[in-house]
Amino acid sequence: EVQLVESGGGLVQPGGSLRLSCAASGFTFSSFTMAWVRQTPGKGLEWLSYITGDSITIVYADSVKGRFTISRDNARNSLYLQMNSLRDDDTAVYYCARERSGYCYDYWGQGTLVTVSS
Amino acid sequence: ENVLTQSPATLSLSPGERATLSCRASQSVGSSLAWYQQKPGQAPRLLIYDAFNRATGIPARFSGSGSGTDFTLTITSLEPEDFAVYYCQQRSKWTFGQGTKVEIK
């Protein structure tokens, strides 16, 4: 059974940093492109970044480019999102997801809440 | 920027009725469009990919159609568990629509 489990969310002050993790199981992790997607009541679902299985190709949304860094450790079946210079509008539920067909996501984690507030 | 517009924002229907949801792209996406279902407190669930292909385990009452800029998700006979929010998503910048809520009338 495919499982994705996020962790690392929490309360952080504006300008602070946080590192999210996503533990994957039930599939050959290194064979799949993985992504981070966030959701807020106001902006809905927003794709943030993806990383190919070999980590060669990494793409970011303009809203997080230069502040967030996606990475993976295939030996640990884990995906990461390092978030720096956090702003109030980064407050959201963050999901990791497995990509299929080059753009959509067939498995999602349960999400982890990040709250940026002073 | 290729924007996805979903309509209606809310659809009020009774169990057993047919639901027709629309997703319109401002520029052609070919057939690279997906549909998701999301229930409160849960992650989105992939229903349809590449416009009309059902994802693994998705019941046959869900079907997708369309190409280019106009797409439709049809639920032929609503079951109680189908009342949820539905999102479309495209390949360009991986953007999502704003969602259609299917609520019980």
Side-chain angles (χ1 to χ4, degrees), chain B residues 13-73:
Chain B
L13 295 168
S14 301
E17 288 194 294
R18 182 186 187 93
T20 303
L21 288 68
S22 174
C23 178
R24 177 165 290 178
S26 56
Q27 302 170 43
S28 176
V29 300
S31 61
S32 295
L33 188 107
W35 290 93
Y36 299 86
Q37 176 194 68
Q38 187 177 33
K39 298 178 182 178
Q42 296 184 16
R45 173 194 181 197
L46 181 65
L47 299 175
I48 301 288
Y49 65 95
D50 294 344
F52 58 85
N53 293 300
R54 272 190 302 277
T56 303
I58 302 304
R61 64 180 181 273
F62 291 92
S63 64
S65 63
S67 65
T69 60
D70 290 296
F71 298 85
T72 300
L73 174 70

Short mmCIF file of all heavy atoms in Angstrom, two decimals, chain B residues 13-73:
data_model
loop_
_atom_site.label_atom_id
_atom_site.label_comp_id
_atom_site.label_asym_id
_atom_site.label_seq_id
_atom_site.Cartn_x
_atom_site.Cartn_y
_atom_site.Cartn_z
N LEU B 13 -27.52 19.24 -5.13
CA LEU B 13 -28.21 18.12 -5.75
C LEU B 13 -28.61 17.09 -4.69
O LEU B 13 -28.10 17.12 -3.57
CB LEU B 13 -27.30 17.44 -6.79
CG LEU B 13 -26.92 18.29 -8.01
CD1 LEU B 13 -25.80 17.61 -8.79
CD2 LEU B 13 -28.12 18.52 -8.90
N SER B 14 -29.47 16.20 -5.10
CA SER B 14 -29.91 15.12 -4.20
C SER B 14 -29.21 13.81 -4.59
O SER B 14 -28.81 13.65 -5.76
CB SER B 14 -31.43 14.94 -4.31
OG SER B 14 -32.10 16.12 -3.96
N PRO B 15 -29.07 12.91 -3.63
CA PRO B 15 -28.50 11.59 -3.98
C PRO B 15 -29.30 10.96 -5.11
O PRO B 15 -30.54 11.06 -5.16
CB PRO B 15 -28.66 10.80 -2.68
CG PRO B 15 -28.60 11.84 -1.61
CD PRO B 15 -29.30 13.04 -2.20
N GLY B 16 -28.58 10.32 -6.03
CA GLY B 16 -29.21 9.70 -7.19
C GLY B 16 -29.25 10.60 -8.41
O GLY B 16 -29.45 10.11 -9.53
N GLU B 17 -29.09 11.90 -8.22
CA GLU B 17 -29.09 12.82 -9.35
C GLU B 17 -27.75 12.81 -10.06
O GLU B 17 -26.73 12.36 -9.54
CB GLU B 17 -29.44 14.24 -8.88
CG GLU B 17 -30.89 14.41 -8.48
CD GLU B 17 -31.27 15.88 -8.35
OE1 GLU B 17 -30.74 16.54 -7.43
OE2 GLU B 17 -32.11 16.35 -9.16
N ARG B 18 -27.74 13.37 -11.26
CA ARG B 18 -26.55 13.48 -12.09
C ARG B 18 -25.89 14.81 -11.81
O ARG B 18 -26.55 15.85 -11.77
CB ARG B 18 -26.96 13.39 -13.55
CG ARG B 18 -25.84 13.45 -14.55
CD ARG B 18 -26.45 13.49 -15.96
NE ARG B 18 -25.47 13.38 -17.02
CZ ARG B 18 -25.12 12.24 -17.59
NH1 ARG B 18 -25.67 11.09 -17.19
NH2 ARG B 18 -24.23 12.21 -18.57
N ALA B 19 -24.56 14.79 -11.67
CA ALA B 19 -23.79 16.02 -11.45
C ALA B 19 -22.91 16.27 -12.66
O ALA B 19 -22.22 15.36 -13.15
CB ALA B 19 -22.93 15.89 -10.20
N THR B 20 -22.93 17.51 -13.13
CA THR B 20 -22.09 17.91 -14.26
C THR B 20 -21.28 19.12 -13.84
O THR B 20 -21.84 20.18 -13.58
CB THR B 20 -22.95 18.23 -15.50
OG1 THR B 20 -23.75 17.09 -15.82
CG2 THR B 20 -22.05 18.57 -16.68
N LEU B 21 -19.95 18.95 -13.77
CA LEU B 21 -19.05 20.00 -13.35
C LEU B 21 -18.21 20.42 -14.53
O LEU B 21 -17.74 19.59 -15.31
CB LEU B 21 -18.14 19.51 -12.23
CG LEU B 21 -18.74 19.28 -10.84
CD1 LEU B 21 -19.73 18.13 -10.82
CD2 LEU B 21 -17.62 19.03 -9.83
N SER B 22 -17.95 21.73 -14.62
CA SER B 22 -17.20 22.28 -15.75
C SER B 22 -15.88 22.86 -15.31
O SER B 22 -15.75 23.42 -14.21
CB SER B 22 -18.03 23.37 -16.43
OG SER B 22 -17.29 24.02 -17.43
N CYS B 23 -14.90 22.73 -16.17
CA CYS B 23 -13.58 23.34 -15.98
C CYS B 23 -13.15 23.91 -17.31
O CYS B 23 -13.07 23.19 -18.31
CB CYS B 23 -12.59 22.30 -15.48
SG CYS B 23 -10.90 22.90 -15.24
N ARG B 24 -12.88 25.20 -17.31
CA ARG B 24 -12.49 25.87 -18.56
C ARG B 24 -11.12 26.48 -18.41
O ARG B 24 -10.85 27.19 -17.43
CB ARG B 24 -13.51 26.94 -18.93
CG ARG B 24 -13.16 27.74 -20.17
CD ARG B 24 -14.35 28.51 -20.69
NE ARG B 24 -15.36 27.61 -21.25
CZ ARG B 24 -16.52 28.03 -21.74
NH1 ARG B 24 -16.84 29.31 -21.71
NH2 ARG B 24 -17.38 27.17 -22.24
N ALA B 25 -10.24 26.22 -19.37
CA ALA B 25 -8.89 26.78 -19.38
C ALA B 25 -8.83 28.00 -20.29
O ALA B 25 -9.47 28.01 -21.34
CB ALA B 25 -7.89 25.73 -19.84
N SER B 26 -8.03 28.98 -19.90
CA SER B 26 -7.92 30.19 -20.72
C SER B 26 -7.09 29.95 -21.97
O SER B 26 -7.20 30.70 -22.95
CB SER B 26 -7.33 31.34 -19.89
OG SER B 26 -6.09 30.98 -19.35
N GLN B 27 -6.27 28.92 -21.96
CA GLN B 27 -5.53 28.49 -23.14
C GLN B 27 -5.61 26.97 -23.21
O GLN B 27 -5.79 26.32 -22.19
CB GLN B 27 -4.05 28.91 -23.06
CG GLN B 27 -3.82 30.41 -22.90
CD GLN B 27 -2.37 30.70 -22.58
OE1 GLN B 27 -1.45 30.12 -23.16
NE2 GLN B 27 -2.16 31.60 -21.63
N SER B 28 -5.42 26.45 -24.41
CA SER B 28 -5.54 25.01 -24.59
C SER B 28 -4.54 24.23 -23.73
O SER B 28 -3.37 24.62 -23.62
CB SER B 28 -5.33 24.63 -26.06
OG SER B 28 -5.35 23.22 -26.20
N VAL B 29 -5.02 23.15 -23.12
CA VAL B 29 -4.15 22.25 -22.37
C VAL B 29 -4.11 20.88 -23.03
O VAL B 29 -3.64 19.90 -22.42
CB VAL B 29 -4.60 22.13 -20.89
CG1 VAL B 29 -4.57 23.49 -20.22
CG2 VAL B 29 -5.97 21.50 -20.78
N GLY B 30 -4.62 20.80 -24.25
CA GLY B 30 -4.68 19.51 -24.92
C GLY B 30 -5.62 18.58 -24.14
O GLY B 30 -6.78 18.93 -23.91
N SER B 31 -5.10 17.45 -23.72
CA SER B 31 -5.90 16.56 -22.87
C SER B 31 -5.28 16.41 -21.49
O SER B 31 -5.66 15.51 -20.72
CB SER B 31 -6.04 15.19 -23.53
OG SER B 31 -4.77 14.60 -23.71
N SER B 32 -4.34 17.30 -21.16
CA SER B 32 -3.62 17.21 -19.88
C SER B 32 -4.40 17.88 -18.77
O SER B 32 -4.03 18.96 -18.28
CB SER B 32 -2.22 17.81 -20.01
OG SER B 32 -1.44 17.08 -20.91
N LEU B 33 -5.49 17.24 -18.38
CA LEU B 33 -6.32 17.78 -17.32
C LEU B 33 -6.73 16.66 -16.39
O LEU B 33 -7.09 15.56 -16.82
CB LEU B 33 -7.57 18.46 -17.88
CG LEU B 33 -8.32 19.20 -16.76
CD1 LEU B 33 -8.16 20.70 -16.89
CD2 LEU B 33 -9.75 18.80 -16.65
N ALA B 34 -6.67 16.96 -15.09
CA ALA B 34 -7.02 15.98 -14.06
C ALA B 34 -8.13 16.54 -13.18
O ALA B 34 -8.31 17.75 -13.08
CB ALA B 34 -5.79 15.65 -13.21
N TRP B 35 -8.85 15.63 -12.55
CA TRP B 35 -9.90 15.98 -11.59
C TRP B 35 -9.62 15.30 -10.26
O TRP B 35 -9.20 14.13 -10.23
CB TRP B 35 -11.26 15.52 -12.10
CG TRP B 35 -11.80 16.25 -13.27
CD1 TRP B 35 -11.67 15.93 -14.60
CD2 TRP B 35 -12.60 17.45 -13.24
NE1 TRP B 35 -12.32 16.84 -15.38
CE2 TRP B 35 -12.90 17.78 -14.56
CE3 TRP B 35 -13.09 18.26 -12.21
CZ2 TRP B 35 -13.68 18.91 -14.90
CZ3 TRP B 35 -13.85 19.36 -12.53
CH2 TRP B 35 -14.13 19.67 -13.87
N TYR B 36 -9.88 16.03 -9.18
CA TYR B 36 -9.71 15.51 -7.84
C TYR B 36 -10.98 15.72 -7.03
O TYR B 36 -11.74 16.66 -7.28
CB TYR B 36 -8.58 16.26 -7.10
CG TYR B 36 -7.23 16.14 -7.74
CD1 TYR B 36 -6.84 17.00 -8.75
CD2 TYR B 36 -6.31 15.18 -7.31
CE1 TYR B 36 -5.60 16.91 -9.34
CE2 TYR B 36 -5.05 15.08 -7.89
CZ TYR B 36 -4.70 15.95 -8.89
OH TYR B 36 -3.46 15.85 -9.46
N GLN B 37 -11.15 14.88 -6.05
CA GLN B 37 -12.21 15.02 -5.06
C GLN B 37 -11.55 15.26 -3.70
O GLN B 37 -10.55 14.62 -3.37
CB GLN B 37 -13.02 13.72 -4.98
CG GLN B 37 -14.10 13.68 -3.92
CD GLN B 37 -14.61 12.26 -3.69
OE1 GLN B 37 -13.89 11.39 -3.19
NE2 GLN B 37 -15.85 12.01 -4.08
N GLN B 38 -12.10 16.20 -2.94
CA GLN B 38 -11.58 16.44 -1.61
C GLN B 38 -12.71 16.55 -0.60
O GLN B 38 -13.65 17.33 -0.80
CB GLN B 38 -10.71 17.69 -1.55
CG GLN B 38 -10.01 17.86 -0.21
CD GLN B 38 -9.09 19.06 -0.16
OE1 GLN B 38 -9.34 20.09 -0.79
NE2 GLN B 38 -8.00 18.95 0.59
N LYS B 39 -12.60 15.79 0.46
CA LYS B 39 -13.55 15.85 1.56
C LYS B 39 -12.91 16.59 2.72
O LYS B 39 -11.67 16.64 2.81
CB LYS B 39 -13.98 14.44 1.96
CG LYS B 39 -14.69 13.69 0.84
CD LYS B 39 -15.07 12.29 1.25
CE LYS B 39 -15.74 11.58 0.09
NZ LYS B 39 -16.09 10.17 0.42
N PRO B 40 -13.71 17.17 3.61
CA PRO B 40 -13.15 17.95 4.73
C PRO B 40 -12.14 17.16 5.53
O PRO B 40 -12.37 16.01 5.90
CB PRO B 40 -14.39 18.28 5.56
CG PRO B 40 -15.52 18.28 4.58
CD PRO B 40 -15.18 17.19 3.62
N GLY B 41 -11.00 17.80 5.79
CA GLY B 41 -9.96 17.18 6.59
C GLY B 41 -9.15 16.13 5.89
O GLY B 41 -8.30 15.48 6.51
N GLN B 42 -9.40 15.93 4.59
CA GLN B 42 -8.66 14.93 3.83
C GLN B 42 -7.87 15.56 2.71
O GLN B 42 -8.15 16.68 2.28
CB GLN B 42 -9.63 13.89 3.25
CG GLN B 42 -10.38 13.08 4.28
CD GLN B 42 -11.25 12.01 3.64
OE1 GLN B 42 -11.09 11.67 2.47
NE2 GLN B 42 -12.19 11.46 4.42
N ALA B 43 -6.89 14.82 2.22
CA ALA B 43 -6.13 15.25 1.06
C ALA B 43 -6.97 15.06 -0.21
O ALA B 43 -7.92 14.25 -0.22
CB ALA B 43 -4.84 14.44 0.94
N PRO B 44 -6.64 15.78 -1.25
CA PRO B 44 -7.31 15.51 -2.53
C PRO B 44 -7.06 14.08 -2.99
O PRO B 44 -6.03 13.48 -2.68
CB PRO B 44 -6.63 16.52 -3.49
CG PRO B 44 -6.13 17.60 -2.60
CD PRO B 44 -5.71 16.91 -1.34
N ARG B 45 -8.03 13.56 -3.72
CA ARG B 45 -7.97 12.19 -4.25
C ARG B 45 -8.10 12.28 -5.76
O ARG B 45 -9.06 12.87 -6.27
CB ARG B 45 -9.12 11.37 -3.65
CG ARG B 45 -9.31 9.97 -4.21
CD ARG B 45 -10.67 9.46 -3.77
NE ARG B 45 -10.98 8.12 -4.22
CZ ARG B 45 -12.22 7.61 -4.23
NH1 ARG B 45 -13.24 8.33 -3.79
NH2 ARG B 45 -12.43 6.38 -4.63
N LEU B 46 -7.15 11.71 -6.47
CA LEU B 46 -7.19 11.75 -7.93
C LEU B 46 -8.34 10.89 -8.44
O LEU B 46 -8.44 9.70 -8.12
CB LEU B 46 -5.87 11.25 -8.51
CG LEU B 46 -5.75 11.25 -10.03
CD1 LEU B 46 -5.81 12.67 -10.60
CD2 LEU B 46 -4.47 10.55 -10.47
N LEU B 47 -9.20 11.49 -9.27
CA LEU B 47 -10.32 10.77 -9.88
C LEU B 47 -10.04 10.44 -11.35
O LEU B 47 -10.21 9.31 -11.79
CB LEU B 47 -11.59 11.62 -9.83
CG LEU B 47 -12.14 12.03 -8.48
CD1 LEU B 47 -13.33 12.97 -8.68
CD2 LEU B 47 -12.54 10.82 -7.67
N ILE B 48 -9.66 11.48 -12.09
CA ILE B 48 -9.53 11.41 -13.55
C ILE B 48 -8.21 12.05 -13.94
O ILE B 48 -7.85 13.09 -13.39
CB ILE B 48 -10.68 12.17 -14.24
CG1 ILE B 48 -12.05 11.62 -13.86
CG2 ILE B 48 -10.48 12.18 -15.77
CD1 ILE B 48 -12.39 10.27 -14.45
N TYR B 49 -7.48 11.44 -14.87
CA TYR B 49 -6.28 12.06 -15.42
C TYR B 49 -6.33 11.99 -16.95
O TYR B 49 -7.05 11.15 -17.51
CB TYR B 49 -5.01 11.43 -14.87
CG TYR B 49 -4.82 9.98 -15.25
CD1 TYR B 49 -4.04 9.62 -16.34
CD2 TYR B 49 -5.42 8.97 -14.50
CE1 TYR B 49 -3.88 8.30 -16.69
CE2 TYR B 49 -5.25 7.64 -14.84
CZ TYR B 49 -4.48 7.30 -15.94
OH TYR B 49 -4.31 5.99 -16.28
N ASP B 50 -5.58 12.87 -17.58
CA ASP B 50 -5.58 12.97 -19.04
C ASP B 50 -7.00 13.05 -19.59
O ASP B 50 -7.34 12.39 -20.58
CB ASP B 50 -4.81 11.80 -19.65
CG ASP B 50 -3.33 11.84 -19.31
OD1 ASP B 50 -2.85 12.91 -18.87
OD2 ASP B 50 -2.64 10.83 -19.47
N ALA B 51 -7.81 13.85 -18.93
CA ALA B 51 -9.16 14.24 -19.34
C ALA B 51 -10.23 13.18 -19.12
O ALA B 51 -11.35 13.52 -18.75
CB ALA B 51 -9.19 14.70 -20.80
N PHE B 52 -9.90 11.90 -19.36
CA PHE B 52 -10.98 10.92 -19.30
C PHE B 52 -10.59 9.58 -18.67
O PHE B 52 -11.42 8.68 -18.56
CB PHE B 52 -11.54 10.65 -20.71
CG PHE B 52 -10.51 10.17 -21.70
CD1 PHE B 52 -10.17 8.82 -21.79
CD2 PHE B 52 -9.87 11.07 -22.54
CE1 PHE B 52 -9.23 8.38 -22.70
CE2 PHE B 52 -8.92 10.63 -23.45
CZ PHE B 52 -8.59 9.29 -23.53
N ASN B 53 -9.34 9.44 -18.26
CA ASN B 53 -8.91 8.17 -17.67
C ASN B 53 -9.19 8.14 -16.18
O ASN B 53 -8.74 9.01 -15.44
CB ASN B 53 -7.41 7.96 -17.89
CG ASN B 53 -7.07 7.76 -19.35
OD1 ASN B 53 -7.55 6.84 -19.99
ND2 ASN B 53 -6.25 8.64 -19.88
N ARG B 54 -9.94 7.10 -15.75
CA ARG B 54 -10.20 6.97 -14.32
C ARG B 54 -8.97 6.44 -13.60
O ARG B 54 -8.30 5.51 -14.07
CB ARG B 54 -11.38 6.03 -14.06
CG ARG B 54 -12.74 6.71 -14.07
CD ARG B 54 -13.83 5.79 -13.57
NE ARG B 54 -13.91 4.58 -14.37
CZ ARG B 54 -14.57 4.49 -15.50
NH1 ARG B 54 -15.22 5.54 -15.96
NH2 ARG B 54 -14.60 3.34 -16.17
N ALA B 55 -8.69 7.04 -12.46
CA ALA B 55 -7.57 6.58 -11.64
C ALA B 55 -7.93 5.24 -10.99
O ALA B 55 -9.09 4.83 -10.98
CB ALA B 55 -7.22 7.62 -10.58
N THR B 56 -6.93 4.60 -10.44
CA THR B 56 -7.12 3.29 -9.83
C THR B 56 -8.18 3.33 -8.74
O THR B 56 -8.14 4.20 -7.85
CB THR B 56 -5.79 2.80 -9.22
OG1 THR B 56 -4.79 2.77 -10.24
CG2 THR B 56 -5.94 1.41 -8.63
N GLY B 57 -9.14 2.43 -8.83
CA GLY B 57 -10.14 2.29 -7.78
C GLY B 57 -11.31 3.26 -7.86
O GLY B 57 -12.18 3.24 -6.99
N ILE B 58 -11.33 4.10 -8.87
CA ILE B 58 -12.42 5.09 -8.99
C ILE B 58 -13.63 4.45 -9.64
O ILE B 58 -13.51 3.85 -10.72
CB ILE B 58 -11.95 6.32 -9.78
CG1 ILE B 58 -10.73 6.96 -9.11
CG2 ILE B 58 -13.08 7.33 -9.95
CD1 ILE B 58 -10.94 7.35 -7.65
N PRO B 59 -14.80 4.59 -9.03
CA PRO B 59 -16.01 3.95 -9.58
C PRO B 59 -16.38 4.47 -10.96
O PRO B 59 -16.09 5.62 -11.30
CB PRO B 59 -17.10 4.32 -8.57
CG PRO B 59 -16.38 4.69 -7.32
CD PRO B 59 -15.06 5.27 -7.75
N ALA B 60 -17.06 3.65 -11.71
CA ALA B 60 -17.43 3.97 -13.09
C ALA B 60 -18.44 5.10 -13.18
O ALA B 60 -18.63 5.67 -14.27
CB ALA B 60 -17.97 2.72 -13.78
N ARG B 61 -19.09 5.47 -12.08
CA ARG B 61 -20.05 6.59 -12.14
C ARG B 61 -19.34 7.94 -12.37
O ARG B 61 -19.98 8.92 -12.71
CB ARG B 61 -20.91 6.66 -10.88
CG ARG B 61 -20.18 6.94 -9.60
CD ARG B 61 -21.16 6.97 -8.42
NE ARG B 61 -20.51 7.27 -7.16
CZ ARG B 61 -19.95 6.36 -6.38
NH1 ARG B 61 -19.99 5.07 -6.73
NH2 ARG B 61 -19.39 6.71 -5.23
N PHE B 62 -18.03 7.95 -12.18
CA PHE B 62 -17.24 9.16 -12.45
C PHE B 62 -16.68 9.06 -13.87
O PHE B 62 -16.03 8.07 -14.22
CB PHE B 62 -16.07 9.30 -11.47
CG PHE B 62 -16.48 9.59 -10.06
CD1 PHE B 62 -16.68 8.55 -9.16
CD2 PHE B 62 -16.66 10.89 -9.63
CE1 PHE B 62 -17.05 8.80 -7.85
CE2 PHE B 62 -17.02 11.16 -8.32
CZ PHE B 62 -17.23 10.11 -7.43
N SER B 63 -16.91 10.10 -14.66
CA SER B 63 -16.33 10.11 -15.99
C SER B 63 -15.90 11.53 -16.35
O SER B 63 -16.49 12.51 -15.89
CB SER B 63 -17.32 9.58 -17.03
OG SER B 63 -18.45 10.42 -17.13
N GLY B 64 -14.86 11.61 -17.17
CA GLY B 64 -14.36 12.89 -17.62
C GLY B 64 -14.40 12.97 -19.12
O GLY B 64 -14.28 11.97 -19.82
N SER B 65 -14.57 14.19 -19.61
CA SER B 65 -14.59 14.40 -21.05
C SER B 65 -14.03 15.78 -21.36
O SER B 65 -13.87 16.61 -20.46
CB SER B 65 -16.00 14.26 -21.61
OG SER B 65 -16.85 15.25 -21.06
N GLY B 66 -13.78 15.99 -22.64
CA GLY B 66 -13.31 17.30 -23.10
C GLY B 66 -11.88 17.27 -23.58
O GLY B 66 -11.14 16.30 -23.39
N SER B 67 -11.50 18.37 -24.21
CA SER B 67 -10.13 18.57 -24.67
C SER B 67 -9.97 20.03 -25.03
O SER B 67 -10.96 20.75 -25.21
CB SER B 67 -9.80 17.69 -25.88
OG SER B 67 -10.58 18.07 -27.00
N GLY B 68 -8.71 20.46 -25.11
CA GLY B 68 -8.48 21.86 -25.46
C GLY B 68 -8.70 22.77 -24.27
O GLY B 68 -7.86 22.84 -23.38
N THR B 69 -9.85 23.45 -24.26
CA THR B 69 -10.12 24.40 -23.18
C THR B 69 -11.34 24.05 -22.34
O THR B 69 -11.56 24.66 -21.30
CB THR B 69 -10.31 25.83 -23.74
OG1 THR B 69 -11.41 25.82 -24.65
CG2 THR B 69 -9.05 26.32 -24.44
N ASP B 70 -12.15 23.13 -22.78
CA ASP B 70 -13.41 22.84 -22.07
C ASP B 70 -13.48 21.38 -21.64
O ASP B 70 -13.38 20.47 -22.47
CB ASP B 70 -14.60 23.18 -22.94
CG ASP B 70 -14.77 24.68 -23.13
OD1 ASP B 70 -15.03 25.36 -22.12
OD2 ASP B 70 -14.61 25.16 -24.26
N PHE B 71 -13.67 21.19 -20.34
CA PHE B 71 -13.67 19.86 -19.76
C PHE B 71 -14.87 19.69 -18.82
O PHE B 71 -15.34 20.66 -18.23
CB PHE B 71 -12.38 19.62 -18.98
CG PHE B 71 -11.15 19.69 -19.83
CD1 PHE B 71 -10.54 20.91 -20.10
CD2 PHE B 71 -10.61 18.55 -20.40
CE1 PHE B 71 -9.42 21.00 -20.91
CE2 PHE B 71 -9.49 18.61 -21.21
CZ PHE B 71 -8.89 19.84 -21.46
N THR B 72 -15.31 18.46 -18.70
CA THR B 72 -16.46 18.16 -17.86
C THR B 72 -16.19 16.92 -17.03
O THR B 72 -15.64 15.94 -17.53
CB THR B 72 -17.71 17.91 -18.73
OG1 THR B 72 -17.99 19.08 -19.50
CG2 THR B 72 -18.92 17.60 -17.85
N LEU B 73 -16.57 17.00 -15.76
CA LEU B 73 -16.60 15.83 -14.89
C LEU B 73 -18.06 15.51 -14.65
O LEU B 73 -18.83 16.38 -14.23
CB LEU B 73 -15.90 16.11 -13.56
CG LEU B 73 -16.00 14.99 -12.52
CD1 LEU B 73 -15.16 13.78 -12.95
CD2 LEU B 73 -15.53 15.48 -11.14
#
